[in-house]
Amino acid sequence: MAAGEVVQRPASVVKELLENAIDAQASEIKLLIKDAGKTLVQVIDNGSGMSVTDARFSFERHATSKIKSADDLFQLSTKGFRGEALASIAAIAHVELKTKQESDDVGTQIVIAGSEVKAQEVVVTPTGTSISVKNLFFNIPARRNFLKSNTVELRHIIDEFHRVALAHPSIQFSMYHNGSETFHLPTSNFRQRIVNIFGTKTNEKLVPVNETTEVLTVSGFVGKPEYAKKTRGEQFFFVNNRFIKSAYLNHAINSAFDGLLKDGTHASYFLDLTVNPQTIDINIHPTKTEIKFDDEHTLYAILRSAVKHSLGQFSIAPVLDFDRDANFDTPYDFQNKQAKAPKIEVDRAFNPFQEERQSKSSFSPSYKKEPAGSWESLYVGMESKSTKSATDFNEIQFESSEETGNIFQDDASLDTKQSTYQLHNKYVVSTIKSGMLVIDQHRAHQRILYESFLKHITIKESVSQQLLFPVLVFLSQQEMDCIKDVQEDLEHTGFVFANFHNDHIEISGVPISVPESEVTVILEQLISDIENEVPDSHFSATDLLAKSMAKSLAIKRGQSLTLVEQEHLVNSLFACKEPNSSPTNKATFVTISVDEIDKKFI
């Protein structure tokens, strides 16, 4: 395999080196990154180390010490087995290797550049291996130019670090970027490792999943439906402690959550599958992230049932019981309290007869009953009053009302013609001189909001709506760093950040156009766009921010609009600088001329 198939970006190097450290039985692994891996990727472990011969041969193609015979390929227990990773890395970078076995007094240092060994000598080094990869793609400038910005490349490195760290919670991991510690993950169980990576708020979102069968053992956690996200960031499958991607197994999880998730959201899961190594083939893809199973249908059914069982066992899925009366449910505050016998207090001095006599003797009405008169007396004097009021009314003088002219001769002549119509709650149709205009309401509103946000960020003037109670948004550490990078631009759009804590942000003000309930969704979408939409070096972070917020807040297809809203949308769109296209360069409207309509009837 060519180097480009194994080493596509710095994250590929991180993955291969971390897996080699795990295969060396290391209990503590350090990852050091500089300039998102473009300048340096270094992995230090306290594993078994290598002998002088193994250290030299490790950079040869197809040379590996992890399998002894061809039969070992069917019972793989190690991450690597092809012997291609280090050879591919050495071909396109400057590599320095220091390694020592526990039984040796001194270690070995090897320096390689572009597959050529520059030096090999004895060195004093701790037990284990330290390998540094510098100046990635130094001899392939075209490949180096294809690398994205540091933010994007670092995002890919962190993703690979997460995958390896989650698969091995019994190993201590730490990561440093440009000299500052990004992660420090002590030895823990699987649940605690998830919490250490994704934040303390994650602990209350997890539902345990455990199932053991002859074919498959499933263990791990799924996220509660109410915490489902619009992005797929927290979806992890591990097969025999190896991260994989499988759309088929992902569909099994989605079917287990059927009816529990909102549209457009994805459930989180962290599932470790243990199967017989002889029933899988992990050598069908260069990065080993895809696996071929012998019996996928059985795995699908077991996985779906296990997740569905857990959701029901922990009362996540709603129970359909027509006979149950909610009035008999124990209140939450009284679930753990012991039942006590009620105390009955009796007033032994109570005498009902004595009280009755007193009440009769002391009772005296406060009013005097008078006999009612005849009904004719109710109308006595009414005749004179009515005569007097009529006389008074005749004496009142009124100002003559001024007659105003009307430009319309008849109310029927008023022009009440409707100029816009909504089609299937997706398109706004408007008439023009040459024919008809069909506007995509979602894309058009994106363009309107995009130019509005861009103007506020550039001019740095915006109006904020202060919140009565601050909104708390819980994020992981890398998501917090991402928000801090664009904090100033967010404040120019109208966001007001009260405090930044270790695991959450306090927001005390939002832009006027942003509802309070959408704040978390907007920030999650923004983080996803910054991490995954690959902004290049010439790409403006301000432009990306405006695009992301416009996409989150734009009216959706299927939303009904009033006549006033339709007209406002049309007028606002054509007041934009570039009304023809959305921020993602897709058409916002099409025109259909009268001639085109006439041709349909020929």
Side-chain angles (χ1 to χ4, degrees), residues 151 154-163 166 175 181-183 185 194-199 229 233-234 236 475-485 502-503 505 527-528 530-531:
T151 305
L154 181 62
R155 174 70 251 173
H156 286 288
I157 290 173
I158 291 175
D159 284 343
E160 293 293 348
F161 180 79
H162 283 174
R163 293 166 183 174
L166 284 171
M175 175 179 170
E181 187 177 55
T182 308
F183 289 99
L185 307 175
I194 295 171
V195 172
N196 288 339
I197 291 177
F198 295 101
K229 294 187 174 183
E234 297 179 1
F236 296 89
L475 302 169
S476 61
Q477 188 57 50
Q478 62 269 23
E479 290 172 339
M480 296 270 286
D481 295 338
C482 188
I483 293 296
K484 287 178 182 178
D485 291 339
N502 291 332
D503 60 346
I505 300 174
I527 293 168
S528 175
I530 292 175
E531 294 171 348

Side-chain angles (χ1 to χ4, degrees), residues 283-303:
N283 199 21
I284 64 173
H285 194 274
T287 59
K288 305 172 196 161
T289 55
E290 296 179 12
I291 288 184
K292 184 175 178 60
F293 297 95
D294 281 355
D295 191 358
E296 284 188 331
H297 298 291
T298 303
L299 298 183
Y300 182 98
I302 294 173
L303 190 59

